[in-house]
Amino acid sequence: MSQSLTDQEREKRLRKKAVVDQRIAQATEERGVLILLKGNGKGKSSSAFGTLARALGHEQRCAVIQFIKGRKETGEFLFFKDHPLLDFHVMGHGFTWETQDKSLEQQAADQAWQVAEQLLGDDRYQLLIFDEMSYMFKYGYLDATVVAERIGNRPRHQSVIVTGRTMHRELLDIADTISIIQDERHAFRAGVKAQPGIEW
Ligand code: ATP
Ligand code: MG
């Protein structure tokens, strides 16, 4: 059943379109962006990997560093790891939820940051994902001031996505886009077991 718009509705849409067109006309800057995905809800890493698929679809060179290594190999790792335009780094033997050895964790964080710094200086990479990086600041393994300074000086056309439940002030100050993923409800709390394809 098709229904045509009333004059009033049509006018409202035209006004809205004019506003959007004006905003589009004003957004003329071409450069990479820093995107922060924070908050306690589910959807941060999966959003970052969705953007990764998008960038790879456009044949852009990308890299991922996962700062926390879970117990299981993730679906995103298995799916993306062999892509010719992607470097996929999972932070070494160090930081997992199970280990208690701070010096091993520090060593792993240092190694991951070394890779990150290199990528932040390489303009062939158009998108970098630093997944769960915020935990490194929380536990004092990385210095947020140093990281923010380095991210701020990255190549102009490079974009960076950082995920993690909390974000450090230094990164918030320089971010272009910040999304807070809110936790309204999660199946886990109703007793639904974590499952491959949804959780990892
Ligand atoms: P995802 O990878 O699913 O996008 P995320 O990156 O937003 O999740 P993290 O804090 O990294 O969330 O947690 C990773 C894991 O914890 C995922 O398996 C996710 O499903 C689960 N999870 C995320 N948020 C919650 C929550 N509020 N309660 C319980 N489990 C959660
Ligand atoms: Mg995550």
Side-chain angles (χ1 to χ4, degrees):
M1 188 183 66
S2 78
Q3 229 181 349
S4 54
L5 297 174
T6 63
D7 285 350
Q8 208 182 1
E9 285 168 335
R10 197 171 304 123
E11 209 174 293
K12 196 171 161 196
R13 283 197 194 181
L14 283 173
R15 273 203 307 274
K16 172 120 193 176
K17 185 178 178 314
V19 172
V20 173
D21 284 350
Q22 195 190 1
R23 285 198 195 130
I24 292 171
Q26 278 167 351
T28 54
E29 212 184 331
E30 288 185 29
R31 63 172 175 85
V33 288
L34 171 61
I35 301 173
L36 305 182
L37 304 172
K38 59 178 255 189
N40 292 327
K42 169 177 166 52
K44 301 174 291 295
S45 298
S46 38
S47 164
F49 284 101
T51 308
L52 176 68
R54 216 174 240 182
L56 290 172
H58 288 290
E59 299 184 350
Q60 299 177 1
R61 185 175 293 280
C62 304
V64 174
I65 302 180
Q66 281 193 310
F67 283 84
I68 293 189
K69 186 179 176 184
R71 260 170 300 176
K72 303 190 173 97
E73 275 194 322
T74 60
E76 56 268 30
F77 175 73
L78 295 169
F79 182 76
F80 284 113
K81 68 180 169 55
D82 296 321
H83 196 290
L85 287 173
L86 176 68
D87 299 356
F88 203 126
H89 304 274
V90 180
M91 200 162 118
H93 46 274
F95 198 98
T96 70
W97 294 117
E98 284 89 20
T99 57
Q100 302 289 332
D101 187 333
K102 286 212 85 163
S103 68
L104 260 187
E105 288 174 359
Q106 181 65 63
Q107 216 180 329
D110 290 342
Q111 276 170 13
W113 174 239
Q114 232 175 20
V115 176
E117 264 198 302
Q118 216 168 6
L119 292 165
L120 287 164
D122 189 336
D123 67 4
R124 290 173 305 160
Y125 289 85
Q126 279 184 266
L127 175 67
L128 307 181
I129 294 176
F130 298 154
D131 192 33
E132 319 293 353
M133 184 189 230
S134 68
Y135 293 98
M136 301 298 106
F137 308 129
K138 188 170 169 197
Y139 294 113
Y141 293 128
L142 292 181
D143 181 338
T145 309
V146 173
V147 171
E149 197 267 332
R150 200 64 205 81
I151 289 179
N153 286 317
R154 72 190 185 280
R156 185 171 164 77
H157 291 286
Q158 189 177 76
S159 291
V160 176
I161 302 178
V162 180
T163 82
R165 293 201 173 192
T166 56
M167 278 300 155
H168 233 269
R169 176 47 53 196
E170 285 84 344
L171 286 185
L172 291 167
D173 285 346
I174 62 163
D176 299 288
T177 298
I178 303 171
S179 293
I180 305 173
I181 312 290
Q182 198 187 322
D183 177 26
E184 182 162 322
R185 184 180 296 165
H186 195 292
F188 185 67
R189 289 198 293 280
V192 181
K193 192 176 168 184
Q195 51 191 304
I198 300 293
E199 259 79 34
W200 76 87

